[in-house]
């Protein structure tokens, strides 16, 4: 006969933690603790195979009943109590437990074994008889609902009526008599709804409860949960039947929770709280304040010592912080549960580091222990966790970090206040190139419109400043220099704080904490570097960014965007003149003014990154992004006309408006941008390429080792790339000859359109490197405009679980990932020397970094502060494969 | 020794038309004619292998010289003339001739064998001695330029100086003495430029000319041509050396060209023209008017009879219309060339049809003979080819067909004039939903802005009216009801004609010809239907379109767009009310008004297509497309404010403006549209689905056989589709139960996003059909917004040959095609019952139709008038595979 039931009690368990598939997570862990000699409330686990059998055949495997009875006997022996006994009854809980946790999805029944008679037996044994009746009341309610499928409202309404009648607010205020009346009413409900009496036979109760839990594997919400989390239906759940222990049997009883180390700081000392003469739910009810666990040492020194010994043993056994629950029943300590403890990013780093030093885990294990996504929190200024905050509104978390300052509503005011020594937050409906000088001096930016790729968001991320975009709850009136939120008015000079990581606008000036790489963290990152083979670069547009990138451990620049350089105060006029030129000649003249400025930009970055590669992307955004706002100009002209304004002025402005309208596009994301600018206005790229190579030449002469790599954006076809590459190579040759120097360089392309990935073999034959621009690739593969999707429908897709993650945060491996894999494979096959990386924002997201490693990419590139995340994730990817 | 040279003369040829690879096209065809016993000027072909050998080794294969000499001898024997002879010189031409025609890419030298001495021999033998000197002058010039690489200007300038000196305009006016002087000057130029005299040795001339022609295989333009047309460099060219014959040796000589059937109508009679005592270039010079070929029957009856016999033999041999050239030298007829004749669409159909009836070709051959793209011309109203037209400007050919009418500048005026019995062309900067009633009554639409998917273009194509969009040369002033083009003003009431197939705006009222399927064409289409296996459906949005589609042979509706139904005059107010609703409840009320109207729409179409499937696509465009124009409203509000207008009015309009701004998107193409509307506003799709099924139910009760198929647009993920499908299935069940009827239906999806194609396997498991929306799929795969690309950069991509075709016209097989192939394969593998079609505009483009067949699609769907094209192309695809 097949073994269906697995017993566990201190020092005696049929199972172990290796038997998760058979016993479920909970069953396996209880068995493991029992094997370690830890006192758990004894019990037994009915295996998942029984569930599978039952689901298939509609009946239990032969012999199950006998095995259950046998194990019940063992429980009676272990506890000295008797199941269904009127005097000293054994009470048990019945809980589900699948291979992986499905919290709250399946059913649980507590206090089984209570009957009209046995409840009196309990009353005689506990200090608080009210508890016995309440437990029976709960059994009736839970059993009625879960097992007998009686709608929960029936019971709830009865309780509500009773409370009304007694004029009390909380259940806890009901007296023993009230509870007794409720018990009678509940029994009546059961009879009414099912036609049968509530079973006064404990064995029958148990059998019915077990069947109900097995059936709950196929309830609607469990099926839905499995669909979303890709859990196979055939796994089934185990059922755990476990003796109930009580912490409210007097002052020698109690209950508590704790951690083996401080989950906030990682400090090595037991941490937690407890209550004497109480059950878990008393803690939840919040009537009594729990005590810090150190007090237990005084109150029950032996128990404390035992607890400390056990939990340290558990930590050593599991080699990780443990989060444990315990109950003391009449001086006897039971461990109810232990699991790996949740911790802050700071604690995670410290614990992983310390455990290596303590010899508890290997360096590799320490790396794998870090939740790479979580450590981002350590890498930006953040709101002081101890500060009191009042959140005014929530917008899109467009650029991470926190900052406080007085609100200003235009760029000039920003500069004025900053010159007076104030810190400012620039608040606008949306920003435009004309606001750049204000953004440059502000601590952070808040806009009421625009998405994750709006001007404000992109520029702020580029500048490394916190930004909240699309915060629609805020009504900005720029003319009156004020905004209102939920009826409250904020005027120029009022303080706010923004948390760009969470998208929260906070009232007043809240203190923030600066990020730094602590020594322990640096050591950990060093271990990660020893392991990983995939490179990590940074996206950086300025020498300052480049410096931070190096500090964070970047091995090069994977993406230096040149358009941000065009927005500078001294440059924008030339850029606009260049765009508005009506002849090639005038355009060239404007470009001549820009060239020396660009050269200095490139010198700065190349010098900062000496010895490391720097990928510089040629101009990418559509030209109209550099021009004044269309609607504002239209309003201005209309006003001038109605008021019979100066005709020359009107004419000039109308000409500008027409040019803006000419350049305006229906779908700029898919429009005249990227290398399409290079194809149609070759002189723009020529200027940039010349500036790059002249910078490289001058530095080479100064003895600086430069490795410039020119990247052509938005390529969709090899012929397009070849045409543009020809010019780059020509200019490189020309500059090197003219300057009499020689340096190495590469010419490559972004792969950010599906067609480029599909035709990667052809492009690879002529390119030195690929860099996957997964932001745009995600937009085109999904047909999602990020600006529009994030404000308008993406949240619904996430709520309805059509998408598990925002594909702009986490690389969509199923769809976009196919193109990344295909592009890499085809590219490397066609050109074995091809260097392949990724420079979309996914380059700093751990699961995406791992995907890149598994698909053969040579490096990932991300914003400087995410470089440590990528270093960890890249190391983890390697280790997970081993 | 390897055979390098292939002789040909009447009845005696070494080669044949099967030896194209070896002899090139021209050499093989000349050999073929010779074999048929047709008198061609004798000659010989030096094979392509010689070219390849020469290119590889830089020298000729051993023995080539001997073979050339031997063949020269044969020419001398055949003609009785002697190469290089002073008295009766043999003159030859040297021409290139590759496997495929590369017109004008490589070099030719005529009149080789002329020298200072032999020119005098010719003079003595021709009636027109001027011709001899002119020939010699030409030889010097051609040889100097082609063989000796002397810049052509050197010779041209000398001629120009001579003409100036003599004060004449045309070369032909130069006298014999002038020509003699030019000959001397040309010889001087040769000496000056090369240091050597012009070779007076005919054999040397020939050798140099042959080498020059071989070298011309690798000139720049030939290389570029091969790159563009994918012709392998290793093919090489053959060289044809052929005796020169002269049609200007008196009144018993002449020259002409002709067709075996009328190339305009296809009528079976010899067609052409000729000149007596003339060379080909006399015809070109245009001084004498050629005579119709029928006159030759009177002038030289025997020659005419021979010509007719020969050309009929050629037609029978090649089984196609022949386009031939001939020369009569002293009563002897030479055929210089014959090739398959270019013909109009009308002639192509008639000839293919007639030749089947004549037993000349099989039905299959007849189908293959049709240029499917060309016959589109037969399927729209077109400008009368005999009419004189003055083209004012050119815009985008946004919707094919031609129409004439008076210009009007707003929708209301359009209606007013039409009510008076006028035909109108609606001219706007761009159109919006508010113009629909004007578009509906207009003959055609002309806009100065917008692309191929602008509102005007899409609506016009939907209505089947000609439309020119983005005609920027036209400056429209709607307020003054006028437009100017190149300084000329057109006011309301002036006539224009538009040709939407060519994008031409034509002055005045030009007559047009209505399309019809002639009986011969219908018969041909019937033969195509016998052959093809892939289905052909039509895109049709109205019962009228559906009727035309059936007439054109559509086997169902592949795409019925429902958004056009929303634009109707009676509907738009409800649509706008629905969009502007602030509550779900108000939205539902507006939808309730629309439902009965939609039901009638669907009844009309389903009834028209009874017995055939009708795929109805749920609402696709973003909602803001149905709202008033933003900029106009902004101007209006600004004016009202400056002029202190009514506050209530301003407030109302500002509210509307804010809603429009809320809905406005950065990239609407990638925004909140398609099934994203169905996910976020389920009630819209519910209304449409209910209208479809209620229409189907009512018709079923009336005994009409309906086959509705509900198509969900812009799907990117199986979960998204499943959610929406669930609702469709639920409503179908509900309606069938309520109405007490039963009918079949399908639920499927567009595949128009790269991700949908990549994840086709998963989607196919839950979908009944796929329809590739290749318009949007092209936009997302390329990252091209059609509206922006076509106006701003696509033309540059076509000019620079980065793209061979406009990917919105011809399916990009290399990139987008991969996704179509992948989506089909994965889809059918996952669901063998999956029906797969295409409904993008490519469904009516022949090469794309063939691609669909080869990749296993079940049907193509295109606009009704392109259905015949698709029927032909689908049959051709099948035949080409056999």
């Amino acid at each position: 006969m097949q073994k269906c039931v697995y017993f566990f009690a201190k020092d005696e368990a049929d199972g172990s933690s290796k038997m998760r598939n058979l016993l479920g997570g909970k069953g396996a862990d209880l068995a493991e603790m029992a094997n370690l000699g830890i006192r758990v409330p004894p019990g037994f686990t009915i295996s998942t195979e029984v569930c599978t059998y039952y689901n298939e055949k509609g009946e239990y495997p032969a012999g199950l009943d006998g095995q259950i009875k046998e194990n019940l006997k063992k429980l009676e022996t272990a506890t000295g109590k008797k199941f269904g006994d009127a005097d000293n009854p054994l009470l048990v809980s019945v809980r589900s437990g699948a291979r992986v946790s499905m919290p709250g999805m399946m059913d649980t029944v507590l206090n089984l074994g209570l009957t009209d008679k046995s409840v009196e037996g309990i009353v005689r044994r506990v200090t608080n008889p009210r508890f016995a009746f309440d437990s029976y009341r709960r059994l009736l309610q839970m059993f009625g609902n879960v097992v007998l499928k009686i709608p929960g409202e029936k019971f709830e309404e009865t309780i509500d009526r009773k409370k009304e009648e007694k004029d009390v607010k909380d259940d806890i205020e009901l007296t023993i008599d009230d509870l007794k009346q409720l018990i009678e009413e509940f029994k009546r409900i059961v009879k009414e709804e099912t036609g049968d009496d509530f079973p006064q036979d404990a064995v029958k109760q148990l059998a019915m409860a077990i069947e109900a839990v097995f059936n709950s594997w196929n309830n609607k919400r469990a099926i839905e949960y499995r669909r979303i989390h890709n859990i196979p239906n055939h796994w089934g759940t185990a059922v755990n039947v476990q003796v109930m222990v009580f912490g409210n049997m007097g002052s020698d009883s109690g209950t508590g929770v704790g951690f083996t180390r401080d989950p906030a700081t990682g400090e090595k000392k037991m941490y937690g709280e407890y209550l004497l003469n109480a059950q878990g739910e008393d803690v939840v009810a919040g009537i009594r304040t729990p005590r810090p666990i150190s007090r237990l040492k005084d109150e029950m020194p032996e128990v404390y010592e035992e607890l400390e010994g056990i939990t340290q043993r558990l930590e050593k056994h599991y080699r990780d912080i443990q989060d444990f629950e315990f109950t003391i029943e009449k001086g006897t300590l039971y461990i109810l549960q232990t699991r790996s403890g949740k911790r802050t990013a700071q604690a995670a780093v410290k614990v992983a580091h310390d455990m290596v030093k303590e010899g508890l885990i290997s360096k590799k294990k320490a790396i794998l222990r870090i939740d790479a996504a979580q450590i981002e929190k350590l890498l930006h200024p953040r709101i002081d966790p101890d500060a009191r905050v009042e959140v005014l509104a929530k917008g899109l978390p467009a650029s991470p970090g926190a900052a406080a300052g007085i609100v200003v509503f235009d760029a000039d005011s920003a500069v004025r206040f900053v010159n007076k020594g104030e810190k400012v937050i620039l608040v606008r409906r949306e920003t435009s190139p004309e606001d750049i000088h204000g953004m440059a001096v502000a601590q952070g930016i808040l806009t009421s419109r625009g998405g994750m790729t709006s001007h404000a968001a992109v520029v702020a991320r580029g500048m490394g400043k916190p930004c909240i975009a699309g915060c629609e709850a805020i009504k900005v009136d720029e003319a009156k220099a004020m905004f209102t939120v939920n009826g409250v008015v904020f005027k120029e000079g009022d303080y706010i704080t923004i948390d760009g990581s969470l998208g929260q606008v906070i009232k007043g000036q809240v203190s923030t904490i600066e990020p730094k790489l602590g020594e322990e963290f640096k050591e950990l990152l060093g271990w990660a570097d020893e392991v990983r083979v995939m490179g990590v670069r940074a996206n950086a547009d300025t020498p300052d960014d480049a410096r931070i990138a190096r500090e964070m451990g970047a091995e090069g620049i994977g993406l230096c965007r040149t358009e941000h350089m065009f927005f500078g105060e001294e440059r924008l006029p030339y850029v606009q003149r260049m765009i508005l030129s009506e002849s090639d000649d005038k355009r060239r003249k404007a470009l001549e003014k820009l060239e020396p400025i660009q050269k200095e930009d490139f010198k700065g970055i190349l010098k900062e990154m000496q010895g490391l590669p720097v990928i510089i992307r040629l101009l990418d955004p559509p030209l109209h992004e550099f021009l004044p706002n269309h609607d504002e100009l239209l309003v201005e002209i209309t006003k001038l006309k109605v008021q019979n304004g100066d005709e020359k002025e009107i004419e000039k402005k109308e000409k500008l408006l027409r040019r803006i309208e000419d350049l305006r596009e229906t779908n700029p994301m898919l429009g005249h941008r990227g290398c399409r600018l290079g194809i149609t206005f070759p002189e723009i790229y020529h200027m940039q390429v010349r500036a790059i190579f002249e910078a490289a030449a001058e530095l080479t002469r100064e003895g600086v080792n430069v490795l410039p790599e020119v990247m052509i954006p938005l390529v969709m076809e090899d012929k397009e790339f070849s045409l543009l590459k020809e010019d780059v190579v020509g200019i490189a040759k020309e500059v090197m000859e003219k300057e009499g120097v020689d340096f190495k360089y590469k010419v490559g392309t972004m792969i950010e359109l599906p067609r480029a990935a599909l035709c990667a073999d052809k492009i690879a034959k002529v390119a030195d490197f690929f860099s996957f621009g997964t932001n745009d690739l995600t937009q085109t593969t999904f047909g999602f405009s990020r600006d529009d999707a994030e404000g308008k429908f993406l949240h619904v897709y996430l709520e309805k679980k059509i998408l598990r993650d925002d594909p702009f945060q986490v690389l969509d491996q199923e769809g976009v990932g196919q193109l990344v894999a295909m592009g890499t494979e085809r590219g490397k096959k066609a050109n074995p020397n091809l260097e392949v990386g990724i420079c979309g924002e996914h380059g700093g997201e751990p699961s995406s970094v791992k995907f890149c490693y598994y698909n053969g990419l040579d490096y990932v590139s991300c914003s400087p502060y995410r470089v440590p995340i990528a270093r960890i994730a890249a190391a983890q990817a390697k280790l997970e494969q081993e």
Side-chain angles (χ1 to χ4, degrees), chain A:
Chain A
M1 199 181 60
Q2 193 194 4
K3 184 172 176 65
C4 298
V5 180
Y6 293 75
F7 185 76
F8 58 84
K10 182 170 185 300
D11 296 322
E12 181 195 0
D14 298 340
S16 80
S17 69
K18 294 202 177 81
M19 295 163 77
R20 282 194 120 64
N21 292 0
L22 191 65
L23 304 183
K26 184 189 291 286
D29 284 339
L30 284 165
E32 186 77 4
M33 279 201 280
N35 282 330
L36 287 173
I38 292 165
R39 195 180 305 104
V40 294
F44 54 85
T45 305
I46 306 171
S47 79
T48 56
E49 285 175 0
V50 175
C51 183
T52 312
Y53 188 100
Y54 173 76
N55 282 337
E56 266 172 28
K57 319 238 163 159
E59 57 174 23
Y60 292 124
L64 178 66
D65 266 5
Q67 290 187 31
I68 290 176
K69 264 182 205 149
E70 198 179 296
N71 277 276
L72 263 179
K73 275 261 160 350
K74 283 169 103 173
L75 289 188
E76 289 173 344
T77 312
T79 56
K81 301 177 181 178
K82 209 165 149 20
F83 195 53
D85 195 51
D87 180 45
N88 189 13
L90 171 69
L91 303 190
V92 298
S93 62
V94 172
R95 287 188 170 90
S96 64
R99 279 195 212 183
V100 293
S101 173
M102 291 169 57
M105 292 301 121
M106 288 178 294
D107 293 333
T108 290
V109 189
L110 303 179
N111 301 323
L112 285 159
L114 275 177
T115 59
D116 289 352
K117 280 179 193 157
S118 66
V119 70
E120 300 293 344
I122 300 283
V123 166
R124 285 190 295 273
R125 287 169 180 271
V126 295
T127 52
N128 174 7
R130 185 187 180 286
F131 164 77
F133 292 107
D134 198 38
S135 296
Y136 192 29
R137 187 269 300 174
R138 282 172 200 268
L139 170 64
L140 282 163
Q141 188 172 351
M142 234 171 178
F143 193 92
N145 180 227
V146 168
V147 181
L148 304 174
K149 303 294 168 209
I150 300 167
E153 307 92 75
K154 298 263 173 194
F155 301 105
E156 291 298 341
E157 283 162 8
T158 309
I159 297 176
D160 289 347
R161 268 199 307 277
K162 176 62 68 187
K163 286 196 287 188
E164 215 168 287
E165 182 193 319
K166 310 289 288 189
D167 194 22
V168 302
K169 234 183 104 202
D170 288 322
D171 293 7
I172 201 84
E173 298 172 69
L174 295 173
T175 63
I176 291 180
D177 280 345
D178 297 336
L179 290 170
K180 283 183 175 169
Q181 284 164 27
L182 278 178
I183 287 166
E184 290 314 307
E185 294 214 36
F186 282 9
K187 286 197 283 189
R188 195 184 43 72
I189 291 173
V190 168
K191 174 81 181 174
E192 241 178 54
E193 292 284 325
T194 66
D196 285 320
D197 283 319
F198 172 75
Q200 293 292 336
D201 172 0
V203 173
K204 192 171 177 195
Q205 284 178 10
L206 179 62
M208 289 172 79
I210 290 171
E211 183 160 14
V213 172
F214 277 136
N215 282 328
S216 73
W217 175 254
N218 281 322
N219 72 32
K220 244 185 150 175
R221 62 177 195 273
I223 291 171
E224 178 69 6
Y225 186 91
R226 290 201 295 274
R227 188 183 68 75
I228 292 167
H229 293 86
N230 286 324
I231 299 171
N233 288 323
H234 69 262
W235 278 6
T237 183
V239 172
N240 297 291
V241 178
Q242 196 176 12
V243 167
M244 303 271 313
V245 290
F246 299 97
N248 53 355
M249 287 196 161
S251 58
D252 57 351
S253 300
T255 188
V257 295
F259 289 84
T260 51
R261 302 188 189 216
D262 186 328
T265 64
E267 198 189 343
K268 196 182 175 188
K269 65 166 192 200
M270 190 156 76
Y271 178 97
E273 47 191 29
Y274 72 101
L275 272 174
L276 288 189
N277 196 16
Q279 274 294 77
E281 58 198 27
D282 296 324
V283 184
V284 177
I287 296 168
R288 291 161 58 192
T289 305
R291 296 174 182 174
I293 204 141
S294 53
R295 285 282 297 280
L296 189 62
K297 202 171 184 171
D298 307 324
E299 293 198 305
M300 300 176 84
E302 279 165 31
V303 170
Y304 181 85
E305 203 177 323
E306 188 186 359
L307 180 64
E308 198 171 33
I310 287 173
T311 56
Q312 279 183 17
R313 189 137 40 96
L314 284 170
E315 188 186 272
K316 274 214 181 87
H317 180 70
Y318 287 109
R319 293 162 195 273
D320 200 3
I321 312 190
Q322 295 300 301
D323 166 1
F324 52 84
E325 292 175 23
F326 62 93
T327 286
I328 309 158
E329 190 184 75
K330 295 185 179 242
T332 305
L333 174 68
Y334 292 92
I335 303 296
L336 302 184
Q337 177 167 301
T338 190
R339 57 184 171 189
S340 143
K342 286 208 191 316
R343 66 211 79 176
T344 64
Q346 191 191 337
V349 168
K350 181 167 173 54
V351 169
H353 172 269
D354 288 355
M355 284 191 170
V356 171
K357 298 291 174 182
E358 291 163 24
L360 219 54
I361 58 174
S362 65
K363 289 177 184 175
K364 289 181 178 181
K365 196 122 197 170
I367 296 163
L368 286 169
R369 196 59 71 68
I370 300 295
D371 175 352
Q374 196 194 16
I375 57 174
E376 178 152 21
K377 289 187 187 138
L378 299 179
L379 301 166
H380 292 287
R382 59 209 156 103
I383 304 285
D384 181 344
D386 295 331
R388 265 202 58 217
V389 300
E390 182 181 337
V391 175
L392 296 167
K394 229 175 151 308
L396 299 172
S399 180
I406 59 169
V407 295
V408 293
F409 295 88
D410 65 276
D412 292 340
S413 305
V415 172
R416 206 173 66 241
F417 277 98
V418 169
N419 287 344
K420 282 194 265 178
E422 298 280 0
K423 292 187 167 178
V424 306
I425 305 289
L426 180 63
V427 182
R428 303 275 300 164
R429 291 185 72 196
E430 52 196 332
T431 62
S432 80
E434 276 140 66
D435 299 320
I436 294 281
H437 59 294
M439 298 172 80
V441 299
Q443 297 296 308
I445 294 111
L446 165 61
T447 69
S448 61
R449 311 240 332 226
M452 296 291 286
T453 53
S454 62
H455 179 265
V458 171
V459 173
R461 283 197 295 272
M463 291 178 169
K465 287 176 197 289
C467 172
I468 300 174
C471 183
E472 301 199 355
I474 282 189
K475 306 296 169 200
V476 179
D477 189 333
E478 284 153 1
K480 294 187 184 151
M482 55 178 269
F483 73 79
T484 49
V485 53
N486 295 323
V488 185
V489 176
F490 284 75
K491 290 200 175 132
E492 189 176 89
D494 290 345
Y495 272 99
I496 63 168
T497 303
I498 61 173
D499 184 336
S501 310
L502 297 173
Q504 289 178 341
V505 183
I506 295 160
K507 193 174 166 183
Q509 194 174 11
V510 177
S511 61
T512 56
I513 297 173
E514 285 302 307
K516 57 171 191 278
L517 292 186
E519 283 312 312
E520 287 161 349
F521 193 11
K522 278 188 188 161
E523 205 171 344
L524 193 73
L525 285 167
W527 300 338
D529 290 345
E530 285 165 20
V531 165
R532 77 181 156 86
V533 288
M534 184 167 66
V536 175
R537 300 188 187 178
N539 300 347
D541 305 342
T542 64
D544 277 353
D545 285 353
R547 190 182 40 72
I548 297 169
R550 273 200 110 130
E551 278 169 26
M552 292 288 158
E555 298 152 330
I557 301 288
L559 173 62
C560 169
R561 284 160 290 222
T562 53
E563 51 268 26
H564 299 148
M565 302 172 183
F566 278 34
F567 281 122
E569 214 178 336
E570 38 163 359
R571 298 115 186 254
L572 196 56
Y574 295 119
V575 174
Q576 293 187 341
R577 202 180 298 166
M578 184 252 310
I579 296 169
L580 297 171
S581 309
E582 277 151 3
S583 70
D584 290 358
D585 193 47
K586 281 188 183 159
R587 187 175 310 118
R588 226 178 321 258
K589 283 215 176 103
L591 285 166
E592 273 166 22
K593 296 279 187 191
L594 285 168
E595 193 178 315
I597 307 177
Q598 281 257 286
K599 191 178 74 183
E600 290 309 312
D601 292 330
F602 297 138
K603 275 184 81 170
I605 289 175
L606 288 169
K607 193 165 182 180
E608 195 66 63
M609 296 303 290
Q610 54 185 294
L612 296 176
V614 176
I615 295 185
I616 298 169
R617 180 177 72 184
L618 301 183
L619 194 68
D620 184 52
L623 297 181
H624 50 76
E625 284 198 6
F626 299 98
L627 296 181
N629 180 287
H630 169 272
D631 288 4
E632 281 172 16
L633 191 60
L634 179 62
V635 167
E636 208 179 316
I637 291 170
T638 308
K639 280 183 183 166
L640 280 172
K641 277 178 162 174
V642 177
Q643 294 162 339
N644 290 316
D646 179 50
E647 288 219 359
K648 282 229 168 123
E649 179 77 8
I650 293 176
E651 201 180 313
K652 202 179 121 196
K653 283 186 192 293
E654 280 198 317
K655 198 175 153 193
L656 177 61
L657 184 74
R658 271 198 303 276
R659 185 72 183 134
I660 294 174
E661 288 184 350
D662 279 350
L663 287 171
R664 185 155 76 150
E665 294 182 298
T666 314
N667 299 290
M669 155 73 205
L670 306 178
H672 195 180
R673 52 170 285 236
C675 71
R676 297 162 197 173
L677 296 171
I679 293 284
T680 50
F681 304 115
E683 52 281 7
I684 300 179
Y685 275 15
H686 291 177
M687 179 280 282
Q688 292 198 297
V689 171
R690 192 167 295 115
I692 293 169
F693 288 135
E694 285 186 347
E698 288 180 17
L699 288 171
T700 304
R701 261 210 312 259
E702 292 169 19
V704 178
N705 178 15
V706 294
L707 292 165
E709 306 190 356
V710 176
M711 180 152 75
I712 295 171
L714 214 70
V715 162
M716 56 92 199
E717 159 74 37
D718 56 317
K719 294 197 200 83
E720 186 185 34
F721 177 79
S722 294
L723 258 182
L724 293 164
K725 184 185 170 179
E726 228 168 75
D727 289 354
V728 176
V729 171
I731 292 169
K733 206 175 152 214
E734 190 190 310
V735 171
M736 286 197 237
E737 274 168 13
K738 199 185 74 183
E739 304 285 331
V741 293
D742 201 25
F743 51 82
K744 287 212 174 104
Y745 68 94
K746 290 182 176 175
V747 192
T749 173
M750 301 275 283
I751 302 289
E752 52 189 334
L753 295 172
R755 197 175 190 280
L758 291 164
C759 300
D761 44 350
K762 292 195 177 172
I763 300 172
K765 284 200 180 120
V766 279
D768 299 325
F769 63 87
F770 279 179
S771 178
F772 284 96
T774 45
N775 297 349
D776 278 5
L777 192 59
T778 299
Q779 297 201 72
T780 45
T781 305
F782 274 86
F784 277 3
S785 160
R786 188 169 182 179
D787 278 339
D788 303 311
E790 292 196 325
K792 294 208 162 79
F793 57 85
L794 197 51
H795 60 285
V796 181
Y797 273 68
L798 293 168
E799 277 160 25
K800 295 200 176 180
K801 307 276 180 205
I802 296 171
L803 293 172
R804 200 179 314 169
D805 299 298
D806 178 343
F808 295 107
Q809 306 288 343
V810 179
L811 184 73
D812 162 50
Q813 299 184 12
E814 199 179 326
V816 179
Q818 281 192 49
L819 291 174
V820 173
M822 190 186 292
T824 307
E825 197 198 322
R826 292 180 181 184
K828 292 213 162 200
K829 202 169 165 192
N831 174 4
N833 294 321
L834 189 77
E835 183 183 77
V836 181
I838 176 179
C839 64
E841 285 180 32
H842 305 98
E845 191 283 318
S847 70
S848 314
V849 171
K850 292 179 185 176
F851 179 85
C852 290
Y853 174 71
Y854 295 135
N855 284 283
L857 273 72
D858 300 304
Y859 68 87
V860 295
S861 186
C862 54
S863 60
Y865 285 113
R866 296 180 89 183
V867 164
I869 302 172
R871 288 162 71 191
I872 295 278
Q876 289 177 338
K878 173 79 167 50
L879 291 173
E880 282 164 12
Q881 211 182 30
E882 278 175 1

